[in-house]
Amino acid sequence: MPRATASSRRASASQLAPPVARGPSAAPLLPQPLIERLLAVAMERGGDFAEVYVERTLTTAVMLEESRIKSAQTGLIQGVGVRVISGPKVGYAYSDDWDEPALLRAASTAAMIAQGGGSERSFPVHRAAVPSHYRVATPLMDVDVALKTGLLSRADKAARAFDARVKQVNASYVDQTRRIAVANTEGRYTEDTQDLCRMAVQVVAQGKNGEQRTGMFGGGGRVSFTHWDTFPPESVAREAARQAVATLGAVDCAAGPQTVVLAPGWSGILLHEAVGHGLEADFIRKGTSLFAGKLGQKVASDLVTVIDDGTVSSGRGSINIDDEGNPGERKVLIENGVLKNYLYDGLNAKLMGQRTTGSGRRESFKHLPLPRMTNTFLAPGDHAPEDILKEVKRGLYCATFGGGQVDITNGNFVFEVSEAYQIEDGKLGRPVKNAMLIGVGPEALKNVSRVGTDPMPDPGMGVCMKDGQMLPVGVGLPTLRIDNVTVGGTKVA
């Protein structure tokens, strides 16, 4: 039955299409004549542009608790979304019923947004070449579930063997094989197969006085299952256990302005949140971002160059094509402190007179594409990491970040630091607890005073939420020093 909202119209049902083959010679997800007919129906009332998005995703999820596999599930989602754009207006409909009448109803429903009195036309599409930034010889969906559950059992044993103070271990493994096809009225047709996996281990350690501390680590990417031969679950588990044990006996964090040094790698999540979202074109077009209207202006220290790169080999956020069928790109957003570019999807690029940057991404066929990040990182600098630490007489070393939140309208951010240490006379001191970083994104960028020579991507843990849509992303950072950061803590500095 068709369903409608103020900004989109949707049709859904419950029938599933038959399984399809995989590979360059695989049968298309939908026959090309049917795709072309859907485009014609979508444009029958007028409109400037129409698009058909087809998806089939197989997912496996395994959970371990109390040294036992608590669940192991495999699921399939598949469907077709049809989008029609008429000026700034967007009509969207989707169906998980692959029968032709249901798909035509979805296309007709999406067309209702345009009332220009269109005429009967045809929209032939032609397959375009797609780059290859990830190659998975054996699809993850073809790997036996027993091998996946085995990873978690190995992780559990390794974490518990690390230290007698480890009292609790939870672990998860999730993978998916996602096949998509995108066609539009500009004649472009592209397909991609995207394998993705992620393992995470959470460890709780308990000290003599009953104090409990938590450590978490994980990783993955657009990689084959053989990735776990070189990034074994034992190493993941031991790192999670190390974090938990290392922070036992942590002292209260001092509050107030401090010099902060960020560890390389996962600390890039601060850059992603505090800066990256403010550079997405929907926020720029609406004027709600602090970075709106500042192209060509100085927004950060000369040492800061921010890059979003969807072409990183096997990266968690990498894309051969975005969810509008455009090739993934490497974009320099801030160069030597100067704002150079924004992240554009097709709709916002057109409305702003720009070109898409291959940044149109969506969670599934049920969702509209939005401008989103892929792998976002800070370019390396010229300072040796050990020298960056030696120069700090007193400050805070942030080894691992937890959750955080950002208000893009004013750039205010708050981040929890899950593993942090005092810096005293250029050396790491005692671990601290309850540390928070508080500030304004652009101001923090202007206070960057040292950038290390040790660029490091995160191990493949990133998940980004925007407008209710969850997507995999990558982050990265070299060792970084930021001066005059407000640190939230439980005692006065």
Side-chain angles (χ1 to χ4, degrees):
M1 293 290 293
R3 297 194 300 245
T5 66
S7 60
S8 65
R9 301 178 186 273
R10 305 174 177 178
S12 67
S14 59
Q15 292 185 351
L16 297 177
V20 295
R22 168 196 169 102
S25 60
L29 289 168
L30 281 183
Q32 184 169 323
L34 176 55
I35 288 176
E36 293 175 347
R37 188 175 178 195
L38 292 176
L39 290 172
V41 171
M43 294 290 284
E44 65 186 2
R45 293 175 178 262
D48 305 320
F49 173 89
E51 167 195 87
V52 173
Y53 177 86
V54 190
E55 176 191 7
R56 183 177 191 267
T57 300
L58 274 166
T59 301
T60 298
V62 185
M63 301 289 294
L64 177 143
E65 297 177 10
E66 301 174 348
S67 299
R68 297 180 180 179
I69 300 298
K70 289 294 185 180
S71 65
Q73 302 175 343
T74 298
L76 168 69
I77 66 166
Q78 56 185 11
V80 179
V82 182
R83 180 170 59 148
V84 177
I85 297 175
S86 180
K89 299 185 297 181
V90 178
Y92 193 72
Y94 67 81
S95 174
D96 54 12
D97 183 342
W98 288 47
D99 284 346
E100 185 170 333
L103 298 180
L104 291 173
R105 284 195 299 271
S108 181
T109 302
M112 292 176 66
I113 192 69
Q115 300 295 333
S119 57
E120 185 174 332
R121 289 181 288 169
S122 62
F123 296 92
V125 295
H126 306 281
R127 188 159 185 159
V130 171
S132 179
H133 305 304
Y134 34 83
R135 291 183 181 276
V136 177
T138 300
L140 294 172
M141 67 180 181
D142 292 343
V143 177
D144 194 295
V145 175
L147 295 176
K148 302 171 184 180
T149 61
L151 294 177
L152 302 190
S153 297
R154 289 165 56 188
D156 179 72
K157 290 178 182 178
R160 294 183 184 279
F162 182 82
D163 194 288
R165 290 170 289 181
V166 170
K167 301 301 181 184
Q168 181 179 332
V169 179
N170 294 329
S172 64
Y173 171 89
V174 180
D175 70 32
Q176 65 177 215
T177 298
R178 179 179 186 238
R179 189 176 173 200
I180 64 171
V182 190
N184 61 43
T185 49
E186 294 175 350
R188 183 180 180 87
Y189 175 90
T190 50
E191 284 192 9
D192 192 25
T193 300
Q194 304 165 342
D195 285 276
L196 181 71
C197 60
R198 179 181 187 266
M199 178 168 55
V201 179
Q202 184 182 63
V203 171
V204 177
Q206 183 172 307
K208 292 181 180 180
N209 59 356
E211 174 198 12
Q212 292 188 339
R213 299 293 294 172
T214 300
M216 184 171 180
F217 190 63
R222 299 201 182 279
V223 293
S224 302
F225 195 75
T226 53
H227 175 73
W228 307 111
D229 294 336
T230 55
F231 188 64
E234 289 83 2
S235 68
V236 174
R238 285 192 287 266
E239 171 57 19
R242 183 206 62 78
Q243 292 178 21
V245 171
T247 53
L248 287 171
V251 298
D252 289 332
C253 180
Q258 296 188 45
T259 295
V260 168
V261 177
L262 307 185
W266 178 241
S267 299
I269 190 65
L270 188 147
L271 183 74
H272 169 103
E273 294 288 355
V275 179
H277 279 298
L279 300 178
E280 292 168 342
D282 49 352
F283 299 133
I284 298 298
R285 180 174 63 83
K286 296 170 185 175
T288 55
S289 169
L290 196 64
F291 291 101
K294 293 187 177 180
L295 279 179
Q297 296 183 26
K298 196 73 175 293
V299 295
S301 160
D302 291 343
L303 304 177
V304 171
T305 294
V306 179
I307 297 166
D308 185 86
D309 190 356
T311 71
V312 175
S313 177
S314 302
R316 179 167 169 81
S318 296
I319 49 175
N320 289 332
I321 57 171
D322 70 1
D323 294 316
E324 297 179 306
N326 301 301
E329 294 185 12
R330 182 181 187 275
K331 293 85 63 181
V332 177
L333 304 176
I334 298 173
E335 186 174 26
N336 299 327
V338 177
L339 181 59
K340 293 290 188 178
N341 202 1
Y342 299 125
L343 296 168
Y344 292 99
D345 64 326
L347 174 62
N348 286 284
K350 180 179 179 181
L351 294 175
M352 298 172 71
Q354 301 293 327
R355 56 173 290 275
T356 176
T357 56
S359 304
R361 304 185 67 193
R362 65 181 104 194
E363 179 179 326
S364 77
F365 70 91
K366 298 180 181 180
H367 301 88
L368 286 163
L370 300 169
R372 303 290 295 270
M373 286 171 276
T374 55
N375 304 295
T376 309
F377 57 90
L378 188 74
D382 299 325
H383 302 93
E386 58 273 19
D387 292 340
I388 294 176
L389 188 63
K390 287 178 183 177
E391 292 174 355
V392 180
K393 184 169 183 61
R394 185 181 181 191
L396 184 72
Y397 184 81
C398 302
T400 305
F401 280 85
Q405 58 185 11
V406 178
D407 184 342
I408 63 161
T409 62
N410 52 32
N412 291 339
F413 64 81
V414 179
F415 277 91
E416 173 194 357
V417 188
S418 54
E419 183 185 3
Y421 300 87
Q422 296 171 341
I423 302 175
E424 298 172 349
D425 296 323
K427 297 179 180 180
L428 294 185
R430 296 187 65 180
V432 300
K433 59 185 177 181
N434 303 319
M436 306 285 289
L437 298 190
I438 304 167
V440 179
E443 293 305 314
L445 290 183
K446 291 175 182 177
N447 288 331
V448 170
S449 58
R450 297 287 187 275
V451 179
T453 57
D454 55 341
M456 181 185 296
D458 81 283
M461 299 189 293
V463 176
C464 177
M465 179 72 76
K466 176 180 175 180
D467 288 357
Q469 295 193 43
M470 186 179 294
L471 288 175
V473 295
V475 299
L477 203 70
T479 299
L480 187 70
R481 172 178 165 173
I482 310 177
D483 297 328
N484 199 33
V485 178
T486 299
V487 176
T490 49
K491 71 175 185 178
V492 178

PDB file of all heavy atoms in Angstrom, residues 306-337:
ATOM      1  N   VAL A 306      42.370  19.204   5.880  1.00  0.00           N
ATOM      2  CA  VAL A 306      41.351  18.178   6.104  1.00  0.00           C
ATOM      3  C   VAL A 306      40.929  17.597   4.766  1.00  0.00           C
ATOM      4  O   VAL A 306      40.614  18.337   3.823  1.00  0.00           O
ATOM      5  CB  VAL A 306      40.122  18.758   6.834  1.00  0.00           C
ATOM      6  CG1 VAL A 306      39.052  17.678   7.027  1.00  0.00           C
ATOM      7  CG2 VAL A 306      40.533  19.341   8.181  1.00  0.00           C
ATOM      8  N   ILE A 307      40.919  16.284   4.680  1.00  0.00           N
ATOM      9  CA  ILE A 307      40.607  15.580   3.430  1.00  0.00           C
ATOM     10  C   ILE A 307      39.505  14.567   3.679  1.00  0.00           C
ATOM     11  O   ILE A 307      39.499  13.876   4.703  1.00  0.00           O
ATOM     12  CB  ILE A 307      41.858  14.866   2.890  1.00  0.00           C
ATOM     13  CG1 ILE A 307      42.947  15.895   2.554  1.00  0.00           C
ATOM     14  CG2 ILE A 307      41.535  14.021   1.657  1.00  0.00           C
ATOM     15  CD1 ILE A 307      44.318  15.305   2.345  1.00  0.00           C
ATOM     16  N   ASP A 308      38.558  14.485   2.763  1.00  0.00           N
ATOM     17  CA  ASP A 308      37.570  13.407   2.766  1.00  0.00           C
ATOM     18  C   ASP A 308      37.825  12.575   1.519  1.00  0.00           C
ATOM     19  O   ASP A 308      37.772  13.088   0.399  1.00  0.00           O
ATOM     20  CB  ASP A 308      36.142  13.954   2.762  1.00  0.00           C
ATOM     21  CG  ASP A 308      35.113  12.842   2.887  1.00  0.00           C
ATOM     22  OD1 ASP A 308      34.811  12.449   4.021  1.00  0.00           O
ATOM     23  OD2 ASP A 308      34.620  12.367   1.848  1.00  0.00           O
ATOM     24  N   ASP A 309      38.091  11.280   1.709  1.00  0.00           N
ATOM     25  CA  ASP A 309      38.554  10.456   0.596  1.00  0.00           C
ATOM     26  C   ASP A 309      37.784   9.139   0.533  1.00  0.00           C
ATOM     27  O   ASP A 309      37.971   8.249   1.364  1.00  0.00           O
ATOM     28  CB  ASP A 309      40.057  10.177   0.757  1.00  0.00           C
ATOM     29  CG  ASP A 309      40.670   9.531  -0.473  1.00  0.00           C
ATOM     30  OD1 ASP A 309      39.919   9.222  -1.416  1.00  0.00           O
ATOM     31  OD2 ASP A 309      41.900   9.355  -0.487  1.00  0.00           O
ATOM     32  N   GLY A 310      36.924   9.023  -0.483  1.00  0.00           N
ATOM     33  CA  GLY A 310      36.173   7.799  -0.681  1.00  0.00           C
ATOM     34  C   GLY A 310      36.915   6.756  -1.481  1.00  0.00           C
ATOM     35  O   GLY A 310      36.373   5.683  -1.749  1.00  0.00           O
ATOM     36  N   THR A 311      38.176   7.028  -1.844  1.00  0.00           N
ATOM     37  CA  THR A 311      38.932   6.117  -2.699  1.00  0.00           C
ATOM     38  C   THR A 311      40.011   5.341  -1.952  1.00  0.00           C
ATOM     39  O   THR A 311      40.823   4.665  -2.573  1.00  0.00           O
ATOM     40  CB  THR A 311      39.585   6.886  -3.862  1.00  0.00           C
ATOM     41  OG1 THR A 311      40.663   7.695  -3.355  1.00  0.00           O
ATOM     42  CG2 THR A 311      38.585   7.784  -4.573  1.00  0.00           C
ATOM     43  N   VAL A 312      40.048   5.448  -0.623  1.00  0.00           N
ATOM     44  CA  VAL A 312      41.040   4.718   0.171  1.00  0.00           C
ATOM     45  C   VAL A 312      40.855   3.213  -0.044  1.00  0.00           C
ATOM     46  O   VAL A 312      39.746   2.692   0.057  1.00  0.00           O
ATOM     47  CB  VAL A 312      40.894   5.059   1.662  1.00  0.00           C
ATOM     48  CG1 VAL A 312      41.836   4.202   2.507  1.00  0.00           C
ATOM     49  CG2 VAL A 312      41.159   6.537   1.899  1.00  0.00           C
ATOM     50  N   SER A 313      41.931   2.514  -0.322  1.00  0.00           N
ATOM     51  CA  SER A 313      41.840   1.090  -0.602  1.00  0.00           C
ATOM     52  C   SER A 313      41.259   0.325   0.588  1.00  0.00           C
ATOM     53  O   SER A 313      41.813   0.368   1.690  1.00  0.00           O
ATOM     54  CB  SER A 313      43.226   0.535  -0.947  1.00  0.00           C
ATOM     55  OG  SER A 313      43.174  -0.855  -1.160  1.00  0.00           O
ATOM     56  N   SER A 314      40.118  -0.322   0.369  1.00  0.00           N
ATOM     57  CA  SER A 314      39.457  -1.182   1.357  1.00  0.00           C
ATOM     58  C   SER A 314      39.012  -0.450   2.613  1.00  0.00           C
ATOM     59  O   SER A 314      38.706  -1.079   3.628  1.00  0.00           O
ATOM     60  CB  SER A 314      40.370  -2.358   1.752  1.00  0.00           C
ATOM     61  OG  SER A 314      40.724  -3.125   0.620  1.00  0.00           O
ATOM     62  N   GLY A 315      38.973   0.887   2.589  1.00  0.00           N
ATOM     63  CA  GLY A 315      38.558   1.660   3.753  1.00  0.00           C
ATOM     64  C   GLY A 315      37.110   1.418   4.124  1.00  0.00           C
ATOM     65  O   GLY A 315      36.271   1.131   3.271  1.00  0.00           O
ATOM     66  N   ARG A 316      36.804   1.556   5.403  1.00  0.00           N
ATOM     67  CA  ARG A 316      35.442   1.317   5.866  1.00  0.00           C
ATOM     68  C   ARG A 316      34.450   2.273   5.208  1.00  0.00           C
ATOM     69  O   ARG A 316      33.319   1.903   4.901  1.00  0.00           O
ATOM     70  CB  ARG A 316      35.375   1.441   7.390  1.00  0.00           C
ATOM     71  CG  ARG A 316      33.984   1.218   7.951  1.00  0.00           C
ATOM     72  CD  ARG A 316      33.998   1.043   9.458  1.00  0.00           C
ATOM     73  NE  ARG A 316      32.647   1.093   9.989  1.00  0.00           N
ATOM     74  CZ  ARG A 316      31.784   0.064   9.990  1.00  0.00           C
ATOM     75  NH1 ARG A 316      32.157  -1.091   9.481  1.00  0.00           N
ATOM     76  NH2 ARG A 316      30.579   0.200  10.492  1.00  0.00           N
ATOM     77  N   GLY A 317      34.859   3.505   4.963  1.00  0.00           N
ATOM     78  CA  GLY A 317      33.962   4.473   4.353  1.00  0.00           C
ATOM     79  C   GLY A 317      34.133   4.599   2.847  1.00  0.00           C
ATOM     80  O   GLY A 317      33.518   5.469   2.224  1.00  0.00           O
ATOM     81  N   SER A 318      34.951   3.745   2.244  1.00  0.00           N
ATOM     82  CA  SER A 318      35.245   3.873   0.810  1.00  0.00           C
ATOM     83  C   SER A 318      34.069   3.443  -0.053  1.00  0.00           C
ATOM     84  O   SER A 318      33.280   2.572   0.328  1.00  0.00           O
ATOM     85  CB  SER A 318      36.474   3.044   0.456  1.00  0.00           C
ATOM     86  OG  SER A 318      37.621   3.538   1.110  1.00  0.00           O
ATOM     87  N   ILE A 319      33.956   4.076  -1.217  1.00  0.00           N
ATOM     88  CA  ILE A 319      32.871   3.775  -2.155  1.00  0.00           C
ATOM     89  C   ILE A 319      33.404   3.815  -3.579  1.00  0.00           C
ATOM     90  O   ILE A 319      34.076   4.773  -3.968  1.00  0.00           O
ATOM     91  CB  ILE A 319      31.699   4.772  -2.017  1.00  0.00           C
ATOM     92  CG1 ILE A 319      32.205   6.222  -2.017  1.00  0.00           C
ATOM     93  CG2 ILE A 319      30.888   4.492  -0.758  1.00  0.00           C
ATOM     94  CD1 ILE A 319      31.094   7.273  -2.011  1.00  0.00           C
ATOM     95  N   ASN A 320      33.135   2.771  -4.348  1.00  0.00           N
ATOM     96  CA  ASN A 320      33.423   2.851  -5.779  1.00  0.00           C
ATOM     97  C   ASN A 320      32.499   3.866  -6.440  1.00  0.00           C
ATOM     98  O   ASN A 320      32.910   4.646  -7.294  1.00  0.00           O
ATOM     99  CB  ASN A 320      33.243   1.478  -6.426  1.00  0.00           C
ATOM    100  CG  ASN A 320      34.338   0.504  -6.028  1.00  0.00           C
ATOM    101  OD1 ASN A 320      35.464   0.904  -5.719  1.00  0.00           O
ATOM    102  ND2 ASN A 320      34.013  -0.778  -6.000  1.00  0.00           N
ATOM    103  N   ILE A 321      31.231   3.806  -6.043  1.00  0.00           N
ATOM    104  CA  ILE A 321      30.245   4.806  -6.450  1.00  0.00           C
ATOM    105  C   ILE A 321      29.448   5.200  -5.222  1.00  0.00           C
ATOM    106  O   ILE A 321      29.290   4.409  -4.284  1.00  0.00           O
ATOM    107  CB  ILE A 321      29.284   4.292  -7.548  1.00  0.00           C
ATOM    108  CG1 ILE A 321      28.568   3.014  -7.083  1.00  0.00           C
ATOM    109  CG2 ILE A 321      30.014   4.081  -8.854  1.00  0.00           C
ATOM    110  CD1 ILE A 321      27.450   2.546  -7.999  1.00  0.00           C
ATOM    111  N   ASP A 322      28.946   6.432  -5.210  1.00  0.00           N
ATOM    112  CA  ASP A 322      28.046   6.803  -4.130  1.00  0.00           C
ATOM    113  C   ASP A 322      26.655   6.270  -4.446  1.00  0.00           C
ATOM    114  O   ASP A 322      26.443   5.580  -5.456  1.00  0.00           O
ATOM    115  CB  ASP A 322      28.060   8.313  -3.878  1.00  0.00           C
ATOM    116  CG  ASP A 322      27.416   9.141  -5.003  1.00  0.00           C
ATOM    117  OD1 ASP A 322      26.918   8.561  -6.000  1.00  0.00           O
ATOM    118  OD2 ASP A 322      27.413  10.381  -4.885  1.00  0.00           O
ATOM    119  N   ASP A 323      25.685   6.561  -3.619  1.00  0.00           N
ATOM    120  CA  ASP A 323      24.344   6.003  -3.797  1.00  0.00           C
ATOM    121  C   ASP A 323      23.493   6.804  -4.780  1.00  0.00           C
ATOM    122  O   ASP A 323      22.270   6.630  -4.836  1.00  0.00           O
ATOM    123  CB  ASP A 323      23.654   5.885  -2.437  1.00  0.00           C
ATOM    124  CG  ASP A 323      24.345   4.856  -1.557  1.00  0.00           C
ATOM    125  OD1 ASP A 323      24.674   3.773  -2.067  1.00  0.00           O
ATOM    126  OD2 ASP A 323      24.580   5.142  -0.363  1.00  0.00           O
ATOM    127  N   GLU A 324      24.160   7.660  -5.566  1.00  0.00           N
ATOM    128  CA  GLU A 324      23.545   8.303  -6.721  1.00  0.00           C
ATOM    129  C   GLU A 324      24.232   7.841  -8.003  1.00  0.00           C
ATOM    130  O   GLU A 324      23.939   8.364  -9.078  1.00  0.00           O
ATOM    131  CB  GLU A 324      23.618   9.827  -6.582  1.00  0.00           C
ATOM    132  CG  GLU A 324      22.837  10.356  -5.390  1.00  0.00           C
ATOM    133  CD  GLU A 324      22.940  11.859  -5.244  1.00  0.00           C
ATOM    134  OE1 GLU A 324      24.069  12.398  -5.185  1.00  0.00           O
ATOM    135  OE2 GLU A 324      21.885  12.513  -5.190  1.00  0.00           O
ATOM    136  N   GLY A 325      25.175   6.903  -7.867  1.00  0.00           N
ATOM    137  CA  GLY A 325      25.854   6.337  -9.031  1.00  0.00           C
ATOM    138  C   GLY A 325      27.088   7.084  -9.483  1.00  0.00           C
ATOM    139  O   GLY A 325      27.660   6.761 -10.524  1.00  0.00           O
ATOM    140  N   ASN A 326      27.546   8.079  -8.707  1.00  0.00           N
ATOM    141  CA  ASN A 326      28.727   8.854  -9.074  1.00  0.00           C
ATOM    142  C   ASN A 326      29.986   8.280  -8.436  1.00  0.00           C
ATOM    143  O   ASN A 326      29.937   7.792  -7.300  1.00  0.00           O
ATOM    144  CB  ASN A 326      28.551  10.311  -8.619  1.00  0.00           C
ATOM    145  CG  ASN A 326      27.330  10.951  -9.234  1.00  0.00           C
ATOM    146  OD1 ASN A 326      27.221  11.039 -10.448  1.00  0.00           O
ATOM    147  ND2 ASN A 326      26.391  11.391  -8.393  1.00  0.00           N
ATOM    148  N   PRO A 327      31.125   8.332  -9.115  1.00  0.00           N
ATOM    149  CA  PRO A 327      32.359   7.765  -8.554  1.00  0.00           C
ATOM    150  C   PRO A 327      32.743   8.430  -7.237  1.00  0.00           C
ATOM    151  O   PRO A 327      32.561   9.648  -7.058  1.00  0.00           O
ATOM    152  CB  PRO A 327      33.404   8.052  -9.636  1.00  0.00           C
ATOM    153  CG  PRO A 327      32.625   8.260 -10.895  1.00  0.00           C
ATOM    154  CD  PRO A 327      31.329   8.875 -10.465  1.00  0.00           C
ATOM    155  N   GLY A 328      33.276   7.625  -6.305  1.00  0.00           N
ATOM    156  CA  GLY A 328      33.832   8.199  -5.087  1.00  0.00           C
ATOM    157  C   GLY A 328      35.022   9.083  -5.426  1.00  0.00           C
ATOM    158  O   GLY A 328      35.725   8.845  -6.405  1.00  0.00           O
ATOM    159  N   GLU A 329      35.264  10.099  -4.609  1.00  0.00           N
ATOM    160  CA  GLU A 329      36.321  11.068  -4.899  1.00  0.00           C
ATOM    161  C   GLU A 329      37.161  11.358  -3.659  1.00  0.00           C
ATOM    162  O   GLU A 329      36.745  11.122  -2.525  1.00  0.00           O
ATOM    163  CB  GLU A 329      35.723  12.397  -5.395  1.00  0.00           C
ATOM    164  CG  GLU A 329      35.018  12.332  -6.724  1.00  0.00           C
ATOM    165  CD  GLU A 329      34.562  13.710  -7.188  1.00  0.00           C
ATOM    166  OE1 GLU A 329      34.994  14.717  -6.585  1.00  0.00           O
ATOM    167  OE2 GLU A 329      33.783  13.771  -8.152  1.00  0.00           O
ATOM    168  N   ARG A 330      38.336  11.917  -3.916  1.00  0.00           N
ATOM    169  CA  ARG A 330      39.183  12.482  -2.863  1.00  0.00           C
ATOM    170  C   ARG A 330      38.994  13.988  -2.898  1.00  0.00           C
ATOM    171  O   ARG A 330      39.239  14.631  -3.925  1.00  0.00           O
ATOM    172  CB  ARG A 330      40.652  12.120  -3.101  1.00  0.00           C
ATOM    173  CG  ARG A 330      41.603  12.633  -2.022  1.00  0.00           C
ATOM    174  CD  ARG A 330      43.046  12.248  -2.373  1.00  0.00           C
ATOM    175  NE  ARG A 330      43.976  12.555  -1.310  1.00  0.00           N
ATOM    176  CZ  ARG A 330      44.565  13.738  -1.120  1.00  0.00           C
ATOM    177  NH1 ARG A 330      44.292  14.752  -1.949  1.00  0.00           N
ATOM    178  NH2 ARG A 330      45.423  13.922  -0.130  1.00  0.00           N
ATOM    179  N   LYS A 331      38.528  14.554  -1.770  1.00  0.00           N
ATOM    180  CA  LYS A 331      38.236  15.982  -1.712  1.00  0.00           C
ATOM    181  C   LYS A 331      39.074  16.661  -0.630  1.00  0.00           C
ATOM    182  O   LYS A 331      39.056  16.235   0.523  1.00  0.00           O
ATOM    183  CB  LYS A 331      36.758  16.230  -1.386  1.00  0.00           C
ATOM    184  CG  LYS A 331      35.771  15.812  -2.460  1.00  0.00           C
ATOM    185  CD  LYS A 331      35.386  14.362  -2.389  1.00  0.00           C
ATOM    186  CE  LYS A 331      34.678  13.998  -1.108  1.00  0.00           C
ATOM    187  NZ  LYS A 331      34.324  12.527  -1.083  1.00  0.00           N
ATOM    188  N   VAL A 332      39.791  17.710  -0.994  1.00  0.00           N
ATOM    189  CA  VAL A 332      40.481  18.531   0.002  1.00  0.00           C
ATOM    190  C   VAL A 332      39.483  19.594   0.457  1.00  0.00           C
ATOM    191  O   VAL A 332      39.085  20.466  -0.318  1.00  0.00           O
ATOM    192  CB  VAL A 332      41.751  19.178  -0.581  1.00  0.00           C
ATOM    193  CG1 VAL A 332      42.401  20.080   0.463  1.00  0.00           C
ATOM    194  CG2 VAL A 332      42.731  18.110  -1.041  1.00  0.00           C
ATOM    195  N   LEU A 333      39.089  19.518   1.716  1.00  0.00           N
ATOM    196  CA  LEU A 333      38.067  20.424   2.240  1.00  0.00           C
ATOM    197  C   LEU A 333      38.682  21.681   2.849  1.00  0.00           C
ATOM    198  O   LEU A 333      38.190  22.789   2.632  1.00  0.00           O
ATOM    199  CB  LEU A 333      37.221  19.686   3.283  1.00  0.00           C
ATOM    200  CG  LEU A 333      36.550  18.398   2.786  1.00  0.00           C
ATOM    201  CD1 LEU A 333      35.811  17.707   3.925  1.00  0.00           C
ATOM    202  CD2 LEU A 333      35.603  18.696   1.634  1.00  0.00           C
ATOM    203  N   ILE A 334      39.726  21.501   3.613  1.00  0.00           N
ATOM    204  CA  ILE A 334      40.470  22.626   4.198  1.00  0.00           C
ATOM    205  C   ILE A 334      41.941  22.406   3.866  1.00  0.00           C
ATOM    206  O   ILE A 334      42.479  21.326   4.087  1.00  0.00           O
ATOM    207  CB  ILE A 334      40.272  22.699   5.727  1.00  0.00           C
ATOM    208  CG1 ILE A 334      38.803  22.933   6.072  1.00  0.00           C
ATOM    209  CG2 ILE A 334      41.134  23.800   6.336  1.00  0.00           C
ATOM    210  CD1 ILE A 334      38.500  22.862   7.557  1.00  0.00           C
ATOM    211  N   GLU A 335      42.584  23.418   3.304  1.00  0.00           N
ATOM    212  CA  GLU A 335      43.991  23.295   2.911  1.00  0.00           C
ATOM    213  C   GLU A 335      44.807  24.386   3.565  1.00  0.00           C
ATOM    214  O   GLU A 335      44.546  25.577   3.362  1.00  0.00           O
ATOM    215  CB  GLU A 335      44.137  23.374   1.389  1.00  0.00           C
ATOM    216  CG  GLU A 335      45.545  23.123   0.899  1.00  0.00           C
ATOM    217  CD  GLU A 335      45.624  23.068  -0.616  1.00  0.00           C
ATOM    218  OE1 GLU A 335      44.768  23.674  -1.289  1.00  0.00           O
ATOM    219  OE2 GLU A 335      46.548  22.401  -1.128  1.00  0.00           O
ATOM    220  N   ASN A 336      45.764  23.994   4.378  1.00  0.00           N
ATOM    221  CA  ASN A 336      46.609  24.945   5.114  1.00  0.00           C
ATOM    222  C   ASN A 336      45.767  25.997   5.816  1.00  0.00           C
ATOM    223  O   ASN A 336      46.081  27.190   5.815  1.00  0.00           O
ATOM    224  CB  ASN A 336      47.623  25.602   4.170  1.00  0.00           C
ATOM    225  CG  ASN A 336      48.556  24.589   3.539  1.00  0.00           C
ATOM    226  OD1 ASN A 336      48.906  23.583   4.148  1.00  0.00           O
ATOM    227  ND2 ASN A 336      48.947  24.834   2.297  1.00  0.00           N
ATOM    228  N   GLY A 337      44.663  25.553   6.373  1.00  0.00           N
ATOM    229  CA  GLY A 337      43.799  26.427   7.152  1.00  0.00           C
ATOM    230  C   GLY A 337      42.720  27.146   6.378  1.00  0.00           C
ATOM    231  O   GLY A 337      41.846  27.784   6.974  1.00  0.00           O
TER     232      GLY A 337
END
